[in-house]
Amino acid sequence: MTRPITAGVDGSEESLAALAWAGREAVRRGLALRVVHAWRYEPHAAVEGDRDTQAQWVRDTVAGAVRTITERHPGLDVSADVLEGDAVDTLVAAAAEAELLVLGSRGHGRVVGFLLGSVGQQVIAATTRPVVLVRSGDRPAAEVAGREVVVGQEGGPEDSAAALGFAFETAAARGATVRAVRAWTLPPMFAYSPASLHLLDEAGGPEPFEKKALAEAVQPWRDRFPDVPVVEHVEMGSAGQVLLSMAGRAQLMVVGRRARRTAVGARIGSVAHGVLHHADCPVAVVPPA
């Protein structure tokens, strides 16, 4: 079964930018677009009125967003669902049926609706599908200006396979270059095991070792997408800082997810968290395969 690209909308500028991004991506990939609004009656909401009044306002808001996207992409197959229930549960369920889920984000700003914060972070941590976060200032110009799809890689070939696969697939659909980024730091000497010291010695030092590790991780995707240009970028520094330094050249940033549950809620990993909050470009968070 072919999965649609699903966009969560809540009437905010950020979610409308996410919907626009999702529409363009659906056209590029030849997929349908599903628009989802998770709604719950709020007696003290900014929209006054009883349940029926609020429900009609929600339906009108979603219908207006759908009209805009269908006028922009006349041949695009678009469906819309207004679903009453918890936002996190609704979006996680919608994502499970989608190729990817697209949401709006204000980054480090105030949280509204689906915007990155308690709802967005819980959705990203819980879903088994990629989630793309889009800012209100996103414009299609960045996608046609030769900017790269930047993807973070760490660990061995399997550790970032899902993120690399998503990056290459997206770049292939856009005719873009993939920049695969691997950051490294020097841990204290006692952190090196005899086996790791032997591998470093064979590689000629830490940086050649990191370059070799990145090349090995990227090679299967080079083979699968031979027409996608690739830049392999190895740099000393923290992964979050190195990736953020690449944001200015990126039309999309792709990072893996390390979701875990704690006593204070879901956590998605420090690198993904930092990039989501501070990168100005759209960010895709990809769960492990």
Side-chain angles (χ1 to χ4, degrees), residues 79-137:
S79 62
D81 291 296
V82 175
L83 305 172
E84 186 169 4
D86 176 76
V88 173
D89 292 342
T90 300
L91 290 172
V92 169
E97 301 172 350
E99 187 69 18
L100 60 99
L101 176 68
V102 188
L103 303 176
S105 172
R106 284 184 182 171
H108 49 72
R110 186 167 55 92
V111 176
V112 177
F114 298 159
L115 308 182
L116 184 61
S118 60
V119 170
Q121 184 163 298
Q122 289 178 68
V123 171
I124 293 168
T127 183
T128 58
R129 306 300 301 167
V131 180
V132 178
L133 278 296
V134 180
R135 301 285 187 91
S136 63

Side-chain angles (χ1 to χ4, degrees), residues 35-59:
V35 183
V36 172
H37 184 111
W39 172 73
R40 175 175 287 173
Y41 174 58
E42 296 289 350
H44 305 293
V47 179
E48 297 180 358
D50 58 16
R51 174 183 292 274
D52 291 342
T53 301
Q54 287 192 22
Q56 187 60 50
W57 179 86
V58 169
R59 287 193 292 268

Side-chain angles (χ1 to χ4, degrees), residues 206-230:
E207 186 167 355
F209 174 84
E210 300 294 339
K211 288 181 177 180
K212 183 174 183 290
L214 177 60
E216 289 177 348
V218 169
Q219 190 59 52
W221 304 103
R222 284 184 179 272
D223 296 339
R224 190 175 299 186
F225 296 90
D227 296 328
V228 173
V230 183

Side-chain angles (χ1 to χ4, degrees), residues 40-276:
R40 175 175 287 173
Y41 174 58
E42 296 289 350
H44 305 293
V47 179
E48 297 180 358
D50 58 16
R51 174 183 292 274
D52 291 342
T53 301
Q54 287 192 22
Q56 187 60 50
W57 179 86
V58 169
R59 287 193 292 268
D60 290 345
T61 298
V62 173
V66 169
R67 280 196 302 272
T68 299
I69 206 72
T70 53
E71 289 171 0
R72 192 171 298 161
H73 305 291
L76 181 61
D77 178 7
V78 183
S79 62
D81 291 296
V82 175
L83 305 172
E84 186 169 4
D86 176 76
V88 173
D89 292 342
T90 300
L91 290 172
V92 169
E97 301 172 350
E99 187 69 18
L100 60 99
L101 176 68
V102 188
L103 303 176
S105 172
R106 284 184 182 171
H108 49 72
R110 186 167 55 92
V111 176
V112 177
F114 298 159
L115 308 182
L116 184 61
S118 60
V119 170
Q121 184 163 298
Q122 289 178 68
V123 171
I124 293 168
T127 183
T128 58
R129 306 300 301 167
V131 180
V132 178
L133 278 296
V134 180
R135 301 285 187 91
S136 63
D138 180 64
R139 298 292 182 268
E143 298 166 5
V144 297
R147 293 189 180 182
E148 301 165 333
V149 175
V150 176
V151 56
Q153 191 279 324
E154 63 178 349
E158 299 301 320
D159 293 319
S160 300
L164 285 167
F166 183 90
F168 272 81
E169 182 179 357
T170 303
R174 298 176 177 216
T177 295
V178 167
R179 178 174 291 267
V181 178
R182 183 179 174 99
W184 64 281
T185 57
L186 284 173
M189 286 304 296
F190 63 79
Y192 287 116
S193 67
S196 64
L197 285 172
H198 178 68
L199 290 173
L200 284 174
D201 184 60
E202 283 189 337
E207 186 167 355
F209 174 84
E210 300 294 339
K211 288 181 177 180
K212 183 174 183 290
L214 177 60
E216 289 177 348
V218 169
Q219 190 59 52
W221 304 103
R222 284 184 179 272
D223 296 339
R224 190 175 299 186
F225 296 90
D227 296 328
V228 173
V230 183
V231 176
E232 296 179 11
H233 184 109
V234 173
E235 183 174 335
M236 187 175 181
S238 72
Q241 291 174 342
V242 172
L243 283 170
L244 285 172
S245 73
M246 303 287 111
R249 67 196 312 153
Q251 58 176 283
L252 178 69
M253 184 82 69
V254 182
V255 294
R257 187 202 73 190
R258 287 186 173 181
R260 60 187 179 89
R261 294 280 174 179
T262 70
V264 293
R267 294 290 181 268
I268 59 175
S270 59
V271 174
H273 189 271
V275 171
L276 282 169

